[in-house]
Amino acid sequence: MDMLRRIDEIWEEIEAGEAEKALLTAREVAEQNPREPAALLALAAASWANESVEECRTAAEHAISVLRVQKAAEEKSQLAYAIGWLARVEWRLWHFRKAEDHLREALGLGPEHPWLWELLAQILERTNRREEAAAADRRAQRLDEEHYPLPVRFSREEAEAALQEALDALPEEFQSAAGEVPIVLEEFPALRMARAEVAGELPLAPDILGLFFGVSLADRSFFHSFEPPGAIFLFQGNLERMCGDRQTLVEEIAITLEHELAHYLGFDESAMPGLGLD
């Protein structure tokens, strides 16, 4: 019972945003209970919350090996969940085909976790299978309408009008900066934009909402004099997936713009909370 109580604590800590605390607890619980799938799945979740994707993969693979040995019918839901974590890891690393293979296997087991369908929809969307993606989104919605509403789609003209409205509403300190750098509306980010600058670091996530791509003002020197100022990219497909109506779209574009303009001005991620942009 103590193990189950501590696993509940891990999930509560993740929900509360206490990711590091959750991971420490999860590692301890999994070490003490190496044959308990629930402990291993909690470790996968805590690792994911800390962007430790390889630890997430290891925990999920361990859970899968335990569950396959048990072969109990009631464990199918946990097995689907564990395989789903492998899909998330591959998706996070931009290995969309591998992620899809894992999702198909997980969904083929029978239990239907709505997040598996929603992740499949994202992958199908990114690989230009839009009708299949829409069907997967509808499946997720039917399973959990409250947490998985259908994405609201906007025309290019509607998205550009929302962008202009967001630009007009920018705080004064960002207005001049917005006029200095191109702002480009794209459907999705490309992998070349997301690749890590430092070897061994994770690429940016495929569902990023925006990105400043180039050399910031703070880092520019004489040697950059003849280079373009870079550009801010906003990704309509990813914004649509999290914005249920036009007003939310405008607000989210404004938040994303301010964040990326701060990067253009030379602020890194550690400075964002101080700017109110975390």
Side-chain angles (χ1 to χ4, degrees):
M1 186 60 67
D2 182 63
M3 180 198 72
L4 295 177
R5 179 184 59 77
R6 297 194 70 196
I7 288 173
D8 286 340
E9 287 177 1
I10 293 165
W11 289 105
E12 289 169 4
E13 288 163 357
I14 292 171
E15 287 291 322
E18 300 174 342
E20 292 184 13
K21 184 178 179 182
L23 182 55
L24 290 174
T25 307
R27 284 171 176 165
E28 183 179 336
V29 173
E31 184 177 351
Q32 294 170 352
N33 303 275
R35 306 298 295 174
E36 289 291 341
L40 297 167
L41 292 174
L43 176 57
S47 301
W48 179 265
N50 281 271
E51 290 262 291
S52 300
V53 297
E54 291 305 327
E55 187 171 6
C56 178
R57 184 201 300 276
T58 300
E61 288 176 340
H62 190 180
I64 290 166
S65 66
V66 170
L67 288 161
R68 290 199 193 283
V69 169
Q70 292 178 355
K71 294 182 179 178
E74 62 270 19
E75 304 298 344
K76 279 191 174 182
S77 180
Q78 285 186 314
L79 182 56
Y81 205 84
I83 296 171
W85 278 116
L86 292 185
R88 272 186 169 169
V89 167
E90 297 297 353
W91 169 85
R92 181 64 181 81
L93 297 173
W94 292 70
H95 302 155
F96 297 143
R97 293 295 184 181
K98 288 183 180 179
E100 182 179 348
D101 288 344
H102 286 311
L103 288 169
R104 299 288 187 190
E105 181 184 1
L107 291 166
L109 290 169
E112 295 188 285
H113 300 292
W115 66 269
L116 296 176
W117 284 108
E118 198 270 343
L119 182 56
L120 179 61
Q122 289 190 55
I123 291 167
L124 292 168
E125 199 171 52
R126 294 300 300 272
T127 50
N128 295 314
R129 289 171 285 171
R130 299 183 185 283
E131 290 187 9
E132 292 179 67
D137 273 323
R138 289 193 295 271
R139 197 70 169 264
Q141 182 204 33
R142 285 198 294 271
L143 291 167
D144 187 347
E145 186 172 357
E146 179 182 357
H147 296 102
Y148 296 90
L150 290 177
V152 177
R153 302 303 182 188
F154 300 90
S155 69
R156 179 75 177 193
E157 292 74 18
E158 289 171 327
E160 288 176 348
L163 170 57
Q164 187 57 56
E165 188 174 332
L167 282 167
D168 293 341
L170 281 175
E172 186 176 341
E173 58 267 30
F174 288 113
Q175 287 285 351
S176 59
E180 296 170 0
V181 60
I183 298 171
V184 183
L185 190 64
E186 295 278 5
E187 188 169 21
F188 294 109
L191 178 56
R192 63 178 176 80
M193 297 177 175
R195 291 189 192 280
E197 295 182 4
V198 179
E201 287 189 356
L202 281 174
L204 298 173
D207 60 352
I208 55 173
L209 304 181
L211 176 67
F212 169 66
F213 194 70
V215 180
S216 72
L217 282 182
D219 292 331
R220 291 179 73 83
S221 68
F222 169 80
F223 300 103
H224 300 105
S225 300
F226 301 103
E227 294 181 15
I232 288 174
F233 293 89
L234 300 175
F235 303 113
Q236 181 177 341
N238 290 341
L239 285 159
E240 287 174 340
R241 190 159 283 281
M242 68 170 298
C243 298
D245 54 59
R246 186 184 184 282
Q247 184 55 41
T248 306
L249 179 67
V250 172
E251 292 169 359
E252 198 57 53
I253 287 176
I255 292 168
T256 305
L257 266 178
E258 290 181 31
H259 190 104
E260 302 311 326
L261 284 167
H263 282 311
Y264 164 67
L265 293 171
F267 295 97
D268 61 20
E269 285 297 331
S270 64
M272 294 299 168
L275 297 172
L277 298 173
D278 56 337

